[in-house]
Amino acid sequence: MWKGDSTTTGAYTSELALTPSNVNATQFGKVDTFQADGVVMAQPLYVSGLNMQGATHNVIIVATEHDSVYAVDADAPNSAPLWERHFVDDANGVTTMPDNFGGRTTLGGEVGITGTPYIDSATGALYFVTALARNGVPEQWLRAVDITSGQDYGPGAVQIQASVPGDGRGSVNGSVPFDPSIENQRPGLTETNGSLLVGWGAFSDWGVYHGWLMAFDPATLQMKAVFNPTPDFQGDDAADGPSDHGGGGAFWQGGAAPSVDSDGNIYVNASDGSFDADDGGRNYGDTLLKLALSGNAFQVLDSFTPSNADCIDLHDLELGSGGVALIPTDVSNGIPLAAAYSKEGRLFLVNRSKLGGFNPLGDTQIPQEFMVGDHSCSDSISGDVAEGPDWNRLYGTPAYWNGNLYAAASNLPLKQYQFQGGVLNSTPFAMAPSVYGLRGGNTVISANGTQNGIAWVYEKAANSQGILHAYDATDVSKELWNSNMNGSRDGMTTGTGFGTPVIASGRVLAPSDNIVHIYGLLQ
């Protein structure tokens, strides 16, 4: 799944081959590529030692915005795919959706499979969502295929159709319907207690959208529960966009999947939108939610909303630009912490046992908050959107490894923070030597337990090129390698917005445009 497991911390701690001593421009570089039929926005997935019709393969799963899925032999990616499925059928009027419907996106001209798929290791089923246009009419489908063959698993597919009671934006006769033309299946898929979780957000905040989280039976694909964080009309609202006054609250998280703790509780961030939960309402814009799936319904167990929710809502600096990383309790004096950050550039540490709700006077009800970025939200901001080279936005989730937390904001270098006394020292322990572009960087860690840690950062640079960086995870001021050091051999094409690398068995997978680049030791 996205970033490897349900903690979403991005720590791949069983890596034996790659070490800080051999990841350098002489010994490490691009060893192969796979070219797909569309932009690879979803994170690739890696499965080792998969038995496929009697033969064992290391497999890379690649999903594209052209509504295609490939199973690629990681050891021979230029050979024919082990299997492939294509869900476009031009002859019968089934196409991808254009990416300019209802607003603007960065999906490369078409919308197909955007959220990172999920693999159920117990059954071998691969789950993903396709966005389609059937004779020009938008549809979205949850699909399941057998990872060993690419054939349908169980019923194979179910069309996404849902509604919740409410009179919020877009409601009809007391019900808010799911609109497949405007909802973006951006967050990665995951599961909790035997139920598949799928979330939706917006296409760049255009149109009358809401956040949606749905639970499905993985065997039958029947919907079990649906949740909308902004179902009610709200006359008094901080912002005045088409989805405010009872709307917004997108679940997109910079591509992050919802995180799930050992009890099956779900943690997910709702983006800019209406908020009145502090007055007994049901609108949770700019809120970290702790949910439980109980029977056929999602239950809000707890929540945290930043004290400056009105300001970040108004200026597009939402909490929901990233997900929630679950921190091990060995560094927090036994307190179950979670780390999240906002597009404002602020990092939050919350206590998962008591998230704290909303305090308009300041975020003193949570263990810690501080700015990773250099500019905070205020009434002095001119214009509605605080974006550009003067802002230090954060996307995705922070990575965690061995007492260190890593955050890569836009227009700043990667910062490494260390836990001390159960919280983070807000002064960075180390910073990388170069700054990143307008989308910052998504970070994962490879290590052999607590040894040989490497921090990998995917950047979409200011010139739009994808760049993969590797740093010593014990001191990120030491850059070991990047894909432009030997650009003729290792360089990437146009970067993927919010791209996330994958580390597995001595390989590093990173997409750019319609290519999956495979990096590893050269000998």
Side-chain angles (χ1 to χ4, degrees):
M1 60 170 285
W2 190 84
K3 277 201 176 184
D5 64 32
S6 60
T7 69
T8 71
T9 56
Y12 296 89
T13 56
S14 299
E15 176 52 50
L16 303 179
L18 303 178
T19 70
S21 63
N22 63 25
V23 173
N24 54 63
T26 301
Q27 297 172 272
F28 180 86
K30 190 186 298 183
V31 296
D32 229 320
T33 60
F34 172 75
Q35 185 165 329
D37 65 353
V39 170
V40 182
M41 186 69 63
Q43 177 199 284
L45 301 176
Y46 184 93
V47 183
S48 61
L50 184 64
N51 189 320
M52 305 176 74
Q53 288 79 53
T56 301
H57 297 274
N58 298 316
V59 179
I60 302 170
I61 299 295
V62 180
T64 79
E65 294 295 338
H66 198 63
D67 276 322
S68 297
V69 180
Y70 301 85
V72 179
D73 190 330
D75 301 305
N78 286 314
S79 60
L82 299 166
W83 57 258
E84 55 190 286
R85 289 288 300 270
H86 304 279
F87 297 95
V88 166
D89 184 0
D90 290 320
N92 290 300
V94 179
T95 65
T96 56
M97 287 197 285
D99 73 354
N100 61 354
F101 65 93
R104 57 185 172 82
T105 72
T106 57
L107 298 181
E110 60 183 354
V111 178
I113 303 169
T114 306
T116 298
Y118 175 78
I119 299 171
D120 186 328
S121 59
T123 65
L126 171 72
Y127 299 93
F128 52 94
V129 171
T130 56
L132 300 167
R134 192 177 304 274
N135 298 317
V137 179
E139 297 177 352
Q140 296 197 37
W141 292 79
L142 173 63
R143 300 187 186 272
V145 301
D146 185 326
I147 196 173
T148 66
S149 66
Q151 298 302 306
D152 285 353
Y153 175 85
V158 64
Q159 188 172 359
I160 304 298
Q161 297 175 316
S163 65
V164 295
D167 59 356
R169 288 287 191 149
S171 63
V172 179
N173 298 323
S175 181
V176 180
F178 175 85
D179 183 348
S181 72
I182 206 70
E183 301 294 341
N184 181 8
Q185 203 291 290
R186 186 68 183 92
L189 279 63
T190 189
E191 65 88 26
T192 181
N193 291 336
S195 294
L196 186 69
L197 299 178
V198 189
W200 283 264
F203 287 97
S204 299
D205 298 330
W206 284 56
V208 180
Y209 66 88
H210 295 263
W212 294 86
L213 185 67
M214 302 181 197
F216 296 86
D217 184 312
T220 66
L221 300 187
Q222 293 303 300
M223 185 184 296
K224 299 173 67 174
V226 58
F227 177 75
N228 181 318
T230 52
D232 296 337
F233 175 77
Q234 187 172 322
D236 183 15
D237 217 335
D240 195 23
S243 279
D244 295 298
H245 303 285
F251 295 133
W252 77 283
Q253 303 198 138
S259 53
V260 180
D261 67 19
S262 58
D263 294 323
N265 299 312
I266 305 155
Y267 301 84
V268 63
N269 286 325
S271 297
D272 289 335
S274 300
F275 174 71
D276 64 3
D278 59 324
D279 289 328
R282 298 191 299 165
N283 291 338
Y284 288 97
D286 283 296
T287 295
L288 191 164
L289 290 158
K290 179 180 180 179
L291 306 174
L293 180 58
S294 178
N296 293 322
F298 287 100
Q299 178 186 1
V300 178
L301 298 179
D302 205 350
S303 67
F304 163 72
T305 307
S307 59
N308 64 348
D310 281 358
C311 186
I312 61 177
D313 180 25
L314 180 62
H315 296 294
D316 189 36
L317 296 172
E318 75 262 21
L319 176 70
S321 62
V324 184
L326 307 185
I327 307 299
T329 57
D330 60 345
V331 294
S332 59
N333 297 327
I335 297 172
L337 295 179
Y341 42 46
S342 68
K343 205 187 285 181
E344 182 191 16
R346 192 180 302 272
L347 187 144
F348 304 91
L349 277 184
V350 299
N351 182 341
R352 303 198 314 261
S353 298
K354 187 176 177 60
L355 294 182
F358 174 68
N359 178 6
L361 301 180
D363 298 324
T364 56
Q365 78 277 33
I366 65 174
Q368 190 176 26
E369 62 84 17
F370 60 87
M371 290 295 297
V372 174
D374 295 333
H375 308 280
S376 56
C377 194
S378 72
D379 294 336
S380 65
I381 298 173
S382 60
D384 291 337
V385 178
E387 188 172 21
D390 294 329
W391 282 90
N392 309 128
R393 294 179 164 204
L394 287 163
Y395 298 92
T397 59
Y400 171 83
W401 172 74
N402 200 30
N404 298 277
L405 187 141
Y406 308 83
S410 61
N411 306 303
L412 285 176
L414 174 69
K415 294 184 178 183
Q416 175 186 356
Y417 298 93
Q418 292 191 331
F419 274 90
Q420 296 176 2
V423 294
L424 289 166
N425 184 335
S426 60
T427 300
F429 172 79
M431 293 189 290
S434 60
V435 302
Y436 303 126
L438 289 177
R439 294 295 178 257
N442 235 330
T443 305
V444 299
I445 309 297
S446 67
N448 179 11
T450 61
Q451 304 297 313
N452 292 327
I454 301 173
W456 302 88
V457 182
Y458 186 102
E459 173 195 5
K460 185 175 182 179
N463 65 359
S464 294
Q465 182 192 22
I467 305 174
L468 182 64
H469 301 262
Y471 306 92
D472 185 331
T474 65
D475 181 355
V476 299
S477 68
K478 302 173 183 177
E479 185 165 20
L480 308 171
W481 170 91
N482 71 59
S483 54
N484 278 355
M485 285 181 173
N486 187 339
S488 60
R489 180 191 68 197
D490 301 336
M492 295 186 185
T493 53
T494 301
T496 299
F498 321 113
T500 307
V502 176
I503 320 298
S505 303
R507 297 179 177 88
V508 184
L509 313 178
S512 71
D513 197 20
N514 65 339
I515 299 170
V516 175
H517 304 267
I518 305 169
Y519 296 94
L521 297 176
L522 298 174
Q523 294 181 353

